[in-house]
Amino acid sequence: MNDAYCVDSTTEGFCVAGVYQPVSCSGSMGCYIQSGYIYCDQSLGVLGDPCKPADNHTCATSHKSELLCSVDDGGVIGTWVLQRSCPDDGGCSIMASQVYCY
């Protein structure tokens, strides 16, 4: 069984304990295959959507808040929760995998 596959252009199926769990890929690249590997672009997220903790922080798709991937007690798949709201004048952006909330 493979660890992951693209369910569609914005969803990765990620294997946890032999069961595929959906992970949202809300960044501009979505879910894609490159050099035989599955990638899920979590450079943007939607509050409440499933996420992988490898990408701990991201910006909401509205660019008005920073989100945190919250995982319950040792789990692998979490959900995006509000980390903080960003001021309207600058919003949230990501540069070099770093989240900025202006």
Side-chain angles (χ1 to χ4, degrees):
M1 182 179 278
N2 292 327
D3 288 344
Y5 72 101
C6 289
V7 175
D8 56 36
S9 62
T10 60
T11 309
E12 174 187 16
F14 187 74
C15 187
V16 178
V19 177
Y20 283 104
Q21 303 291 321
V23 175
S24 293
C25 310
S26 299
S28 63
M29 300 285 290
C31 187
Y32 62 99
I33 301 170
Q34 184 175 357
S35 301
Y37 293 97
I38 303 296
Y39 293 93
C40 180
D41 182 0
Q42 291 188 310
S43 61
L44 293 174
V46 175
L47 191 66
D49 273 5
C51 56
K52 291 190 293 188
D55 302 306
N56 273 342
H57 293 263
T58 197
C59 292
T61 54
S62 67
H63 295 277
K64 294 183 181 207
S65 58
E66 178 182 351
L67 303 178
L68 168 69
C69 186
S70 177
V71 181
D72 294 332
D73 301 325
V76 176
I77 302 297
T79 55
W80 290 117
V81 297
L82 180 65
Q83 175 71 19
R84 62 183 167 154
S85 294
C86 303
D88 289 334
D89 58 339
C92 186
S93 63
I94 297 179
M95 288 191 270
S97 299
Q98 195 71 12
V99 177
Y100 296 93
C101 190
Y102 301 101

